mmCIF file of all heavy atoms in Angstrom:
data_model
loop_
_atom_site.group_PDB
_atom_site.id
_atom_site.type_symbol
_atom_site.label_atom_id
_atom_site.label_comp_id
_atom_site.label_asym_id
_atom_site.label_seq_id
_atom_site.Cartn_x
_atom_site.Cartn_y
_atom_site.Cartn_z
ATOM 1 N N PRO A 87 5.213 6.784 4.405
ATOM 2 C CA PRO A 87 5.765 7.942 5.155
ATOM 3 C C PRO A 87 6.187 7.545 6.603
ATOM 4 O O PRO A 87 5.506 6.742 7.261
ATOM 5 C CB PRO A 87 4.531 8.868 5.225
ATOM 6 C CG PRO A 87 3.703 8.463 4.101
ATOM 7 C CD PRO A 87 3.883 6.980 3.930
ATOM 8 N N THR A 88 7.286 8.089 7.040
ATOM 9 C CA THR A 88 7.831 7.755 8.350
ATOM 10 C C THR A 88 6.880 8.197 9.485
ATOM 11 O O THR A 88 6.933 7.615 10.553
ATOM 12 C CB THR A 88 9.213 8.297 8.549
ATOM 13 O OG1 THR A 88 9.154 9.670 8.298
ATOM 14 C CG2 THR A 88 10.197 7.660 7.621
ATOM 15 N N PHE A 89 6.037 9.105 9.190
ATOM 16 C CA PHE A 89 5.073 9.543 10.306
ATOM 17 C C PHE A 89 4.084 8.396 10.633
ATOM 18 O O PHE A 89 3.477 8.469 11.727
ATOM 19 C CB PHE A 89 4.330 10.890 9.982
ATOM 20 C CG PHE A 89 3.371 10.813 8.812
ATOM 21 C CD1 PHE A 89 2.113 10.332 8.975
ATOM 22 C CD2 PHE A 89 3.811 11.309 7.571
ATOM 23 C CE1 PHE A 89 1.213 10.314 7.915
ATOM 24 C CE2 PHE A 89 2.865 11.315 6.567
ATOM 25 C CZ PHE A 89 1.627 10.794 6.754
ATOM 26 N N MET A 90 3.972 7.422 9.820
ATOM 27 C CA MET A 90 3.107 6.284 10.096
ATOM 28 C C MET A 90 3.855 5.279 10.875
ATOM 29 O O MET A 90 3.307 4.165 11.223
ATOM 30 C CB MET A 90 2.634 5.671 8.789
ATOM 31 C CG MET A 90 1.714 6.604 8.000
ATOM 32 S SD MET A 90 1.213 5.828 6.476
ATOM 33 C CE MET A 90 -0.019 4.628 6.972
ATOM 34 N N LEU A 91 5.146 5.426 11.186
ATOM 35 C CA LEU A 91 6.053 4.406 11.639
ATOM 36 C C LEU A 91 6.028 4.033 13.103
ATOM 37 O O LEU A 91 6.077 2.864 13.509
ATOM 38 C CB LEU A 91 7.420 4.879 11.218
ATOM 39 C CG LEU A 91 8.624 4.046 11.473
ATOM 40 C CD1 LEU A 91 8.638 2.793 10.558
ATOM 41 C CD2 LEU A 91 9.875 4.812 11.220
ATOM 42 N N ASP A 92 6.049 5.046 14.003
ATOM 43 C CA ASP A 92 6.345 4.887 15.377
ATOM 44 C C ASP A 92 5.594 3.701 16.055
ATOM 45 O O ASP A 92 6.296 2.833 16.570
ATOM 46 C CB ASP A 92 6.070 6.141 16.171
ATOM 47 C CG ASP A 92 6.941 7.301 15.808
ATOM 48 O OD1 ASP A 92 8.100 6.969 15.317
ATOM 49 O OD2 ASP A 92 6.633 8.461 15.956
ATOM 50 N N ASP A 93 4.368 3.768 16.065
ATOM 51 C CA ASP A 93 3.593 2.761 16.816
ATOM 52 C C ASP A 93 3.828 1.297 16.230
ATOM 53 O O ASP A 93 4.004 0.351 16.983
ATOM 54 C CB ASP A 93 2.107 3.052 16.729
ATOM 55 C CG ASP A 93 1.251 2.075 17.555
ATOM 56 O OD1 ASP A 93 1.640 1.788 18.754
ATOM 57 O OD2 ASP A 93 0.267 1.544 17.021
ATOM 58 N N HIS A 94 3.906 1.235 14.935
ATOM 59 C CA HIS A 94 4.099 -0.116 14.253
ATOM 60 C C HIS A 94 5.539 -0.671 14.552
ATOM 61 O O HIS A 94 5.670 -1.872 14.714
ATOM 62 C CB HIS A 94 3.794 0.001 12.805
ATOM 63 C CG HIS A 94 2.375 0.419 12.585
ATOM 64 N ND1 HIS A 94 1.300 -0.498 12.597
ATOM 65 C CD2 HIS A 94 1.838 1.651 12.401
ATOM 66 C CE1 HIS A 94 0.180 0.149 12.428
ATOM 67 N NE2 HIS A 94 0.398 1.436 12.256
ATOM 68 N N LEU A 95 6.456 0.200 14.574
ATOM 69 C CA LEU A 95 7.810 -0.285 14.888
ATOM 70 C C LEU A 95 7.996 -0.682 16.342
ATOM 71 O O LEU A 95 8.498 -1.770 16.608
ATOM 72 C CB LEU A 95 8.873 0.880 14.611
ATOM 73 C CG LEU A 95 9.438 0.947 13.239
ATOM 74 C CD1 LEU A 95 10.423 2.234 13.250
ATOM 75 C CD2 LEU A 95 10.186 -0.270 12.828
ATOM 76 N N SER A 96 7.372 0.084 17.214
ATOM 77 C CA SER A 96 7.500 -0.273 18.642
ATOM 78 C C SER A 96 6.758 -1.588 18.991
ATOM 79 O O SER A 96 7.171 -2.326 19.874
ATOM 80 C CB SER A 96 6.954 0.819 19.546
ATOM 81 O OG SER A 96 5.581 1.063 19.312
ATOM 82 N N ARG A 97 5.707 -1.908 18.238
ATOM 83 C CA ARG A 97 5.034 -3.198 18.427
ATOM 84 C C ARG A 97 5.592 -4.314 17.591
ATOM 85 O O ARG A 97 5.062 -5.464 17.564
ATOM 86 C CB ARG A 97 3.509 -3.060 18.058
ATOM 87 C CG ARG A 97 2.793 -2.152 19.066
ATOM 88 C CD ARG A 97 1.291 -2.067 18.811
ATOM 89 N NE ARG A 97 1.018 -1.422 17.506
ATOM 90 C CZ ARG A 97 0.272 -1.970 16.565
ATOM 91 N NH1 ARG A 97 -0.344 -3.119 16.766
ATOM 92 N NH2 ARG A 97 0.050 -1.306 15.452
ATOM 93 N N ASN A 98 6.751 -4.012 16.863
ATOM 94 C CA ASN A 98 7.432 -5.021 16.119
ATOM 95 C C ASN A 98 6.572 -5.611 14.957
ATOM 96 O O ASN A 98 6.705 -6.808 14.593
ATOM 97 C CB ASN A 98 7.929 -6.164 17.006
ATOM 98 C CG ASN A 98 9.441 -6.492 16.642
ATOM 99 O OD1 ASN A 98 10.075 -5.745 15.977
ATOM 100 N ND2 ASN A 98 9.882 -7.569 17.195
#
Side-chain angles (χ1 to χ4, degrees):
T88 54
F89 66 81
M90 297 177 72
L91 183 70
D92 294 335
D93 183 49
H94 299 275
L95 270 178
S96 65
R97 290 185 295 129
N98 227 15

